[in-house]
Amino acid sequence: MIEIKDLHKSFGEQEVLKGINLKVEKGEVVVILGPSGSGKTTLLRSLNFLERADKGEITIGNVQVNCKHVTQKKILEIRRNTAMVFQLYNLFKNKTALENIMEGLIVARKMAKEEALKISHYYLEKVGLKERADAYPSQLSGGQQQRVGIARALALNPEVILFDEPTSALDPELVGEVLSVMRKVAKEGRTMIVVTHEISFARDIASRVVFMDGGVIVEQGRPEEVLLRPKEERTKKFLKRILPAADYSI
Amino acid sequence: MENIFSFSLFIDAFPKLLSRLDITLYIVLIALIFGLLIGSYIALVRLYKMPVLSQLATVYVSFIRGIPILVLLYIVYIGLPVLVEGLFHVNINRWDTLIFVLIAYIVNSSAFLSEIIRSAVAGVEVGQTEAAYAVGMTRWQAFRRIVFPQAIKIALPALGNNIVSLLKDTSLAYTLGVIDIIGVIKAISSNTYRSLEAYAAAAIIFFVLSLLLEQTFKRLEKRLGTKHVVSGQE
């Protein structure tokens, strides 16, 4: 279970997160929507301390931290309860696809090599890239890289997988393969928090949609409620702006 | 013709010069190894912006890079014993001259190498470190396993150039009385009253060594290059 209490974060003068409260149950797929600059990516990155929130409390699995007084050791514990899929994939460029998945298992989780190898092969096959095990990231397409990125996250078997706009950097024709892998992952009951602009994914897969604007959560609920019958004016405006385009692409 | 350039002297010079090549290579090797160690440390201090140390490192690097190696050699040779005597009341005047030469070259190359290392590490995308953190690596693990191997590849061409200049810079060690290749030329010329032949031989030796180094680095770059492409994204 993940719980975020009163999370605040400023970059200099600008307050990006103005007191976020959010609870995510095990197996939930939470999609965070919102205009750019609404703080959704910052929220996601605060959860594994790639950004350091100024104030608030984060609980992920059995680790609880107060962001004001957090030690390096706590940060490491939190990170070992999470995994992240990045917008720009961020595969380790000096490692093959297979090694990318193994790396965290061996180095951070101290797993024996044979076991890590078995797990890595398993997840590489799961994302449909069994044949590309020995390819370096530079030899893979964007979609393939992102699928390895997802496999890398899955293999760690974390409490939650954080997806930071996983399809935004992809060519349109490659978005589908990544989304279909994400759908598969969601159906397996993994806990996911996804920042995305893919309304179709939110509608079909999310157990809850969270709409953020200006550093606060404006509205949240089941996808059909938030997407089809939004209560808040800001949500309506946002959806009106992006929905036609999203519908068109399906 | 013999009066202008004696081929027999030229040929004779080679074995004499080569007999001292080990000193030259020794200086290069020691300056390189310790220069890399100290240079890496300086680079990390500056990259992680450690308070006080980082400012000191910046001053050190720009100061050392700003003075000619010849001046640095004399400052170390004359100044270090005075400093050590003053601080620890130990007399190091009797130390082998080679030790002073080595210290001067280590100091010199640590400053230059730290800049190469610093820009190479900074050249590795932030996303690589973030991904390493995200899978649960510590700072040190992320650096050692992900950032450093990529930085080496970026640093390689500059590193090769630096070693070639270091090799040529060692030709000033003789000024303190170390008998390296140039030191031998001095001895030959005072015996035969001729030095052009020996200098010509030295030129060829340095040229061949530089060429070998260049080729080695080219091959190294190529090998790392086929293994993984660091720059660029699809």
Side-chain angles (χ1 to χ4, degrees), chain B residues 24-25 27-29 31-32 105 108-109 112-113 116 155-172 203 205-218 221:
Chain B
T24 299
L25 294 181
I27 297 173
V28 170
L29 199 69
L32 190 66
Y105 281 104
N108 178 259
S109 67
F112 280 93
L113 292 173
I116 293 175
L156 220 46
L159 202 60
N161 283 335
N162 200 267
I163 295 173
V164 171
S165 343
L166 180 62
L167 174 72
K168 293 184 292 182
D169 280 347
T170 58
S171 61
L172 286 169
I205 291 172
F206 275 106
F207 169 68
V208 169
L209 280 178
S210 302
L211 203 68
L212 281 175
L213 273 172
E214 231 173 80
Q215 290 306 318
T216 310
F217 269 84
K218 258 194 196 144
E221 277 168 46

Side-chain angles (χ1 to χ4, degrees), chain A residues 7-236:
Chain A
L7 202 67
H8 287 262
K9 167 77 185 169
S10 300
F11 290 113
E13 290 284 286
Q14 204 190 354
E15 198 175 12
V16 191
L17 298 179
K18 300 174 183 166
I20 301 286
N21 291 288
L22 188 68
K23 218 168 157 177
V24 179
E25 299 297 336
K26 205 170 160 57
E28 259 196 299
V29 178
V30 173
V31 170
I32 305 179
L33 295 175
S36 57
S38 57
K40 49 196 195 308
T41 287
T42 307
L43 171 62
L44 204 68
R45 288 167 57 88
S46 298
L47 295 183
N48 65 351
F49 286 85
L50 290 183
E51 300 295 351
R52 185 91 161 254
D54 306 319
K55 209 182 114 188
E57 226 177 71
I58 298 173
T59 310
I60 296 178
N62 53 1
V63 187
Q64 184 182 26
V65 292
N66 183 331
C67 294
K68 245 182 181 167
H69 329 269
V70 59
T71 58
Q72 202 59 38
K73 195 170 156 263
K74 277 279 182 197
I75 291 181
L76 208 60
E77 282 178 34
I78 279 264
R79 283 179 180 157
R80 288 179 183 176
N81 270 355
T82 64
M84 188 173 239
V85 175
F86 294 87
Q87 184 176 5
L88 296 173
Y89 337 126
N90 293 0
L91 293 189
F92 305 130
K93 292 181 178 177
N94 56 330
K95 308 272 173 196
T96 62
L98 190 72
E99 289 167 346
N100 259 278
I101 305 172
M102 282 174 72
E103 193 68 12
L105 299 175
I106 292 177
V107 180
R109 308 277 150 108
K110 307 270 180 261
M111 196 179 275
K113 203 177 166 197
E114 295 87 75
E115 201 188 345
L117 198 64
K118 227 173 72 191
I119 293 176
S120 303
H121 273 298
Y122 173 79
Y123 282 105
L124 205 54
E125 187 168 357
K126 178 155 245 170
V127 298
L129 289 169
K130 198 173 72 173
E131 283 77 29
R132 306 310 310 271
D134 297 323
Y136 283 91
S138 59
Q139 298 162 326
L140 297 172
S141 74
Q144 290 173 332
Q145 288 189 60
Q146 194 59 299
R147 278 147 67 196
V148 175
I150 294 171
R152 176 170 72 179
L154 287 172
L156 294 167
N157 198 18
E159 290 281 331
V160 59
I161 305 179
L162 312 168
F163 290 81
D164 182 14
E165 305 200 22
T167 55
S168 307
L170 291 171
D171 291 336
E173 75 266 27
L174 301 178
V175 170
E177 59 184 82
V178 171
L179 283 182
S180 80
V181 168
M182 285 173 64
R183 287 199 164 94
K184 211 158 103 185
V185 174
K187 286 197 179 120
E188 283 175 8
R190 298 272 194 159
T191 315
M192 297 162 68
I193 302 181
V194 187
V195 169
T196 185
H197 295 294
E198 296 291 333
I199 296 288
S200 66
F201 179 82
R203 194 182 52 206
D204 304 344
I205 302 299
S207 32
R208 184 156 33 124
V209 171
V210 172
F211 176 70
M212 275 182 78
D213 192 15
V216 294
I217 293 177
V218 175
E219 174 166 11
Q220 57 176 308
R222 300 203 51 80
E224 59 272 18
E225 290 166 20
V226 177
L227 296 176
L228 300 178
R229 294 180 295 277
K231 293 186 196 77
E232 301 290 329
E233 206 46 48
R234 279 194 278 182
T235 319
K236 286 179 194 162

